[in-house]
Amino acid sequence: MAQRPRRKKRKSKPPMLLLLLLLVVIAVLGYKYLPEPQQSAEKISGDRTGAVSQLKPETQSAVSVSVGRLNSSQAILVRLKDQKILMEKGSEEKIYPASLTKIMTAILAIENLPDLQEKIQLSQATFQGLYQANASMTGFQPEEQVSAMDLLYGVMLPSGAESCVGLAERIAGSERKFALLMNQKAAALGMNHTHFENATGLHAENHYTTVKDLAVLLSYALQNDLFREVFTASRYSTPPTNKHPGGITFYSTMFSALSSPKIAGGEILGGKTGYTDEAGLCLASFAQVGKGQYILVTAGAKGNHDSEQYNITDALAVYNSLGKE
């Protein structure tokens, strides 16, 4: 009988399902240990927000004046010692900040210019469009050589737009690039509802904030001794320049609108006014009442430069009510 030929034994292969499972396991383990940039970015953003939201609501109002009686449509009062919000009205509503923008311009100038006695020449381009926009001006002229310190006081006291642009161009090369720095700083401070388009506060649809964000900014800026010195000054005189041999003296727009800085139990120490048609009358102010220090930011009051200054009226009402507590 003939023998059947022997079949060669096939080498056993792992089942296809097992191979697929092995590939899945490798993929999962590899993904687990890959860096997660998006998650890291969210974590950084979260940490930043937590670090800045130092403003904490008070359990009960410490102010006797009713927010409904304020002329301003948005307002926030903060006690600096513990960052407690003592009063708020529409504090997270979108507003146009007008010249309150210049608080950011000033603190960035202080932090980015190592020598504030450095001379800066204001070019013709610095003034481009400012007169046509009816911007507030310091009084400097094209080709005038002034110190960064003079420009800083020009930003905060008379609210000079050419001073803002001059500093912005010196720091970043252009106002547009300076606005990028402004937005970076706002993000770092946790001003999550703020976007800047310029250094002056001239109206732009995409240039907005909230009074709560501005309170965060002012609270931060007041920790800087030089900013506090400028913010609380009522007047400043420049030394002689190539265009003004006798120098220029300018005055705080807020103190000029106050008949007296005295309030019940204290004094308004400093402030920055703001106004555009879209923003209404605005004010960011700083006061001492008793042993405490407070900041008040208001926006959206009716009126204009020629009417009663309802932003000042509101500040007096709020601070005086604190002094009577």
Side-chain angles (χ1 to χ4, degrees), residues 309-321:
Q309 298 303 286
Y310 294 107
N311 48 352
I312 302 289
T313 304
D314 282 350
L316 291 171
V318 171
Y319 287 136
N320 279 319
S321 72

Side-chain angles (χ1 to χ4, degrees), residues 10-11 67 69 75 103 110 123-124 153 162 169 180 186 199 202 223 245 249 253 273 276 290 294-295 297 300 313:
R10 293 180 182 177
K11 293 181 180 178
V67 293
R69 295 181 60 187
I103 296 170
I110 291 170
S123 68
Q124 291 282 350
Y153 275 95
E162 83 275 35
E169 290 175 338
L180 298 177
L202 287 172
Q223 295 174 48
T249 297
T253 56
T273 60
T276 61
Y294 304 84
I295 58 174
V297 182
T313 304

